[in-house]
Every structure is written in C-alpha cells, then in structure tokens.
C-alpha cells in the first residue's frame, strides 16, 4: 500500500476513533464492563459465604443481570456498549499506537486485539442470553481441554496455554502495583482526592484480576501435568479452588472485593478515558 493510501486509511480511522458517537459508546461500554465485574464480585461473595451454586464468572453475571425486571433492556445496553469497546480496541489493534515504534507498537496492538476479543465474547454472551439462545448451560471447559489433549502435542499445548495465562495474571498484578494502568486514564480521572481513590481502586482491581487469572492458568498447567482435563477450568473453577484452601472464604472474599474494586474503577475510567 502506498504512503498516500496508508495516510488516507489512517485519517479515516482517526475520524471514526474521534467521533462523538463512538466516544459515548465507549463510555457506556466501560460502565457495562464495570457492572459485569461488580456482579462477579457479588457472586464470588455469595460463593464464599453461602456456597451459592450460580457460576461466579462473566456468564453468571450476565444471567444475574437478566433476572432484573429491566433485564432485557439492560442486557441490550451492555451488549451494545461492549460492541463499542470492540470497535475501539479493534481499531487500536489495526491502526493505533502510531507514535510508538517497532516491537512496542506491535505489543500494544496485540494487547488491544486481545481486549477486543474479550469484549466481543462478553457482548456475544449478552446477546445470546437476551435472545434466549444462551439459557441452556454452556459447554464445560474440560470437554474442550480433553479434545485438545487428544491431539498430537495437545498435553504440551494445554500446559503452554496455562503458562501464558499465568504470565498474563502476573502482568496484571504488576500493572496494579506500578500503576501502569493510569496511562489509560485522562487527567480528570486521576486528579485530586477522588483521583487517589480511583488509583487505589485500580490497584486493588488489577491485583485481584491477576490473582484469579493466575489460578486459572495454574489449573490448566495442573491439568496438563496430570493429564486430567477435568482439573482445568475458568474463573468459576479458579474461585472455587481458592475457596477450598485454608481460610478459603476469607481469601475468596479479598479477591471478590478486589474484582468489585475493578468494577468501580471502570466507572471512573468511563468518566475520562484516554482515547
């Protein structure tokens, strides 16, 4: 592609990214993302102290939202807001970070691509639930893991996926400790006394998400090591694993509160996102 054509594509991308409609959609999406995390935190607290049988994960959170009298409307709003986040991060993955060079730009674009996939999966789940096609139980992760393990080198692949998930979890914890997430916030979100609260919420939220994701990765590694797909699992299985440890209810409570903190952080992020 010529430099002129590249410039035209980049200019068109900037027009889309800077549109007021997309900006408002991103704000709605971030609030929706925060609501999902608040519900996950609430479900995790119920799991810790009442042994609630509902899934303490994003799907369980969306189904809990559907139980509200205005559940259908809320799910449509959440789903459309998440679609705006997909457009935002998808655009960043393709055209963004032009101020960076080489490997740094590629890393940022890959990270935005991963975020776009995560938001897309959540949006798809919201639409499935609101249209009634997602009411039946979802397929268990152990069945998918068992299929992968049957492939040549599948056991090694599952273990590698687990190690990658653990690495991402560690990266989230580091992001929380170093406050690197503040680069994604506008100046209003981090200024003054309220800004200090936002930063603390982000630190607690990223740390909790990192811990829970690290446990998910560890479950995959353990499943590969023992050649037992049933030992793998998602967020719900990770929280259940924490609950089964010594002082598990208190440990799970800390993680649940941290996940809820991330939800509140998303509200502040929505107020002044750095686009």
């Amino acid at each position: 592609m010529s430099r002129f054509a590249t410039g035209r594509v980049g200019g068109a991308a900037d027009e889309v990214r800077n549109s007021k409609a997309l900006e408002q959609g991103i704000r709605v999406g971030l609030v929706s993302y925060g609501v999902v995390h608040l519900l996950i935190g609430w479900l995790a607290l119920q799991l810790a102290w009442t042994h609630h049988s509902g899934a303490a994960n994003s799907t369980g959170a969306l189904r809990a939202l559907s139980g509200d009298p205005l559940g259908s409307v809320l799910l449509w709003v959440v789903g459309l807001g998440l679609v705006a986040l997909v457009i935002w991060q998808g655009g960043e993955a393709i055209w963004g970070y032009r101020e960076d060079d080489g490997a740094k730009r590629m890393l940022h674009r890959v990270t935005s691509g991963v975020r776009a996939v995560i938001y897309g999966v959540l949006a798809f789940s919201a639409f499935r639930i609101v249209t009634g096609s997602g009411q039946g139980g979802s397929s268990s992760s152990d069945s998918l893991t068992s299929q992968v393990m049957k492939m040549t080198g599948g056991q090694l692949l599952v273990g590698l996926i687990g190690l990658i998930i653990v690495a991402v979890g560690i990266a989230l914890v580091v992001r929380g400790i170093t406050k690197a997430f503040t680069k994604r916030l506008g100046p209003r979100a981090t200024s003054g006394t309220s800004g200090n609260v936002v930063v603390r919420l982000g630190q607690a939220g990223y740390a909790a998400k990192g811990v829970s994701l690290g446990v998910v990765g560890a479950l995959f590694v353990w499943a590969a090591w023992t050649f037992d797909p049933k030992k793998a699992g998602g967020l719900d299985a990770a929280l259940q694993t924490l609950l089964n440890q010594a002082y598990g209810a208190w440990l799970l409570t800390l993680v649940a509160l941290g996940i809820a903190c991330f939800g509140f952080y998303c509200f502040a992020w929505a107020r002044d996102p750095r686009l």
Side-chain angles (χ1 to χ4, degrees), residues 26-36 78 85 263 266-267 270-271:
I26 289 171
R27 294 179 190 276
V28 173
L30 291 174
V31 170
S32 302
Y33 199 46
V35 169
V36 170
V78 167
L85 295 186
C266 286
F267 296 160
R271 179 173 174 265

Side-chain angles (χ1 to χ4, degrees), residues 98-173:
R98 291 196 294 271
E99 69 278 6
D100 297 326
D101 295 318
K104 186 176 181 180
R105 178 193 298 172
M106 181 59 63
L107 177 61
H108 285 163
R109 287 184 173 181
V110 170
T111 302
S112 286
V114 172
R115 291 195 194 106
V117 171
I118 293 172
Y119 298 146
V121 170
L122 281 174
F124 179 72
S125 297
F127 292 139
R128 284 193 66 200
I129 292 172
V130 76
T131 58
S133 59
Q135 296 301 328
S138 59
S139 59
S140 60
S141 62
D142 62 280
S143 62
L144 178 59
T145 308
S146 63
Q147 293 177 19
V148 174
M149 281 190 175
K150 291 177 183 178
M151 300 165 51
T152 302
Q155 186 176 2
L156 181 61
L157 178 60
V158 170
L160 180 60
I161 291 173
L163 290 175
I164 292 174
I165 295 174
V166 170
V168 173
I170 293 173
L172 289 178
V173 173

Side-chain angles (χ1 to χ4, degrees), residues 57-117:
N57 53 27
S58 57
T59 302
L62 292 171
R63 284 181 177 158
L65 191 62
S66 68
D68 188 272
L70 296 176
S72 295
V73 175
L74 291 174
L75 279 175
W76 278 113
V77 172
V78 167
L80 293 173
L82 290 169
V83 168
L85 295 186
V86 173
I87 296 172
W88 173 34
Q89 288 302 305
E92 293 293 287
I94 299 172
W95 299 293
Y97 308 105
R98 291 196 294 271
E99 69 278 6
D100 297 326
D101 295 318
K104 186 176 181 180
R105 178 193 298 172
M106 181 59 63
L107 177 61
H108 285 163
R109 287 184 173 181
V110 170
T111 302
S112 286
V114 172
R115 291 195 194 106
V117 171

